[in-house]
Amino acid sequence: MNELTALREAGPEAPALSPAARSAARAALLAEIDGPATARRRRPSRRTTLRLGAAGVAVAAAWTAAVVIAAPDGPGTPADSVTLVDFTMPTFPLSLDPVPDGLRPAFDGDGDGASIAAYDDPTGEHGFTLHVGDDESPRPDEDVAGVEVAAVDEVSVDGRDAELVRWSQDWCTGDGLGEDCGRRAFTWLTWERSEDQWVTIEAHGRYRTSEQVLAIARSLVDRPQPATLDIGLAPAGWSVQFFKMGRVLTLVNDAYEQQEITVHVPLPEDVAPADQVRSSIMGPIGPQLDVVVHGRPAQLVLVDTGYLDQRGWFLQAQFTDGTTFTLQVPDAFTQEQVLEFAEQVKHRP
């Protein structure tokens, strides 16, 4: 299993991966989804349900004329139609009070919610990661190549027993392929914060002192945090497959797994110039259409995904703050429906 596969399939159990493996896997995942997806992703077993309550009925009614969409022909059992309804993204269950200066979280999770919150400074040299789950996380393993455990201590967090481990690991920066390698020191803290809620902190840089890690642990409060990427509408019968790094969100059609929607916030250096979007993506079969999203110019192209003869839409657009995002959606969406969906995509950097 390569690192990308490990990160995808780990889901809430991703803490078992080393920080170095997670870093390389994240880079690989972002590189893979830069263009229209060409391969089917693994469907997780846990999902978010789209709610169609009173508010949802009102939204659905308002969109009735525009968002009833015939599903494309193809293998499997596609849904007969798609209707956009109101949608609430999963959350991360905890917050920090206060949040250290200069740090903002990025979340990883699935339909049940975010299980990982990574707080890093812009350089990536200083920060920490919070893992929340039903079970205790495995401690850093000296049997893993390159891992050295320096000390193991029994400590207390708000009157509960905790284990604190200081350790180091081979660490590479650059493109994740071995450039500029050295060692990075970490501090790892785990404890059962409440019944069946285990929390683990992995800290590096200036946050890895025992005092800093314990201060982070004691600042946790029960206040859910919304995902960095948010959507206000989604097709009924679709659910969250995964969201990662504050940059990737994928939805899947529960009745027809081959249909997916992916929202991606690329790094600035990976953004195609507006007049070159069509030439920068794989499988364009339609012209580049100049459209408007969030009051800003955007570019829309019909593409052949290269998978099961399916077609889809690729949209490059911007949030109101100028940050670029892309959408990949099935061609069950008309051009107008792609734009309606895109208008509901929000970003909390």
Side-chain angles (χ1 to χ4, degrees):
M1 178 183 296
N2 62 31
E3 289 171 329
L4 173 57
T5 302
L7 180 57
R8 274 184 165 167
E9 296 193 352
E13 286 70 43
L17 292 176
S18 69
R22 286 182 54 77
S23 179
R26 287 178 174 217
L29 177 60
L30 285 176
E32 177 181 312
I33 66 170
D34 276 343
T38 59
R40 176 178 173 183
R41 297 181 177 88
R42 177 177 178 270
R43 181 183 182 184
S45 59
R46 296 182 292 178
R47 306 187 170 283
T48 284
T49 300
L50 296 173
R51 288 183 282 278
L52 188 57
V57 171
V59 171
W63 291 96
T64 297
V67 301
V68 176
I69 310 160
D73 295 333
T77 309
D80 292 333
S81 64
V82 176
T83 302
L84 292 181
V85 297
D86 64 333
F87 183 84
T88 302
M89 277 291 295
T91 60
F92 185 74
L94 304 175
S95 294
L96 295 173
D97 190 9
V99 178
D101 290 341
L103 302 186
R104 296 291 299 273
F107 303 103
D108 290 6
D110 59 17
D112 278 348
S115 57
I116 300 172
Y119 289 79
D120 290 294
D121 74 354
T123 70
E125 295 295 322
H126 309 279
F128 52 88
T129 301
L130 303 176
H131 308 272
V132 179
D134 299 336
D135 301 310
E136 183 176 5
S137 298
R139 74 161 61 165
D141 189 353
E142 285 189 290
D143 292 334
V144 174
V147 173
E148 294 182 4
V149 175
V152 178
D153 297 307
E154 299 299 325
V155 295
S156 176
V157 178
D158 295 332
R160 290 179 172 265
D161 293 338
E163 185 175 53
L164 187 144
V165 180
R166 291 185 291 275
W167 59 291
S168 63
Q169 183 176 22
D170 293 335
W171 187 266
C172 298
T173 59
D175 60 5
L177 300 177
E179 294 184 358
D180 192 17
C181 292
R183 293 194 68 79
R184 174 174 281 189
F186 299 88
T187 297
W188 180 92
L189 176 71
T190 190
W191 77 106
E192 190 174 21
R193 184 173 176 273
S194 60
E195 186 175 357
D196 294 328
Q197 187 193 68
W198 285 86
V199 177
T200 299
I201 301 172
E202 290 181 356
H204 61 277
R206 61 174 170 266
Y207 294 98
R208 68 180 175 85
T209 68
S210 299
E211 294 77 14
Q212 284 276 17
V213 172
L214 288 170
I216 293 167
R218 291 163 182 155
S219 70
L220 290 173
V221 295
D222 294 310
R223 186 169 65 235
Q225 297 187 70
T228 310
L229 278 174
D230 196 2
I231 52 177
L233 297 175
W238 290 57
S239 41
V240 169
Q241 186 177 48
F242 66 79
F243 53 102
K244 291 185 179 295
M245 302 160 282
R247 291 185 174 274
V248 183
L249 165 64
T250 296
L251 304 178
V252 65
N253 185 341
D254 295 341
Y256 185 40
E257 288 184 313
Q258 289 84 353
Q259 285 186 333
E260 294 179 354
I261 299 171
T262 298
V263 185
H264 175 211
V265 180
L267 297 173
E269 59 267 28
D270 296 327
V271 175
D275 61 349
Q276 300 175 27
V277 171
R278 188 182 190 279
S279 61
S280 70
I281 60 177
M282 295 183 294
I285 56 176
Q288 177 171 315
L289 304 175
D290 294 324
V291 294
V292 176
V293 174
H294 295 310
R296 291 175 170 266
Q299 301 78 43
L300 182 66
V301 183
L302 186 65
V303 299
D304 180 348
T305 68
Y307 176 61
L308 294 179
D309 297 322
Q310 290 189 29
R311 303 191 307 173
W313 293 101
F314 180 89
L315 174 74
Q316 180 171 291
Q318 293 181 330
F319 297 109
T320 54
D321 66 358
T323 300
T324 296
F325 70 100
T326 65
L327 288 181
Q328 297 171 37
V329 303
D331 69 347
F333 286 81
T334 66
Q335 175 184 332
E336 292 76 17
Q337 292 153 356
V338 176
L339 301 182
E340 290 160 356
F341 181 87
E343 288 285 354
Q344 298 298 316
V345 179
K346 302 295 188 295
H347 187 229
R348 300 182 181 91

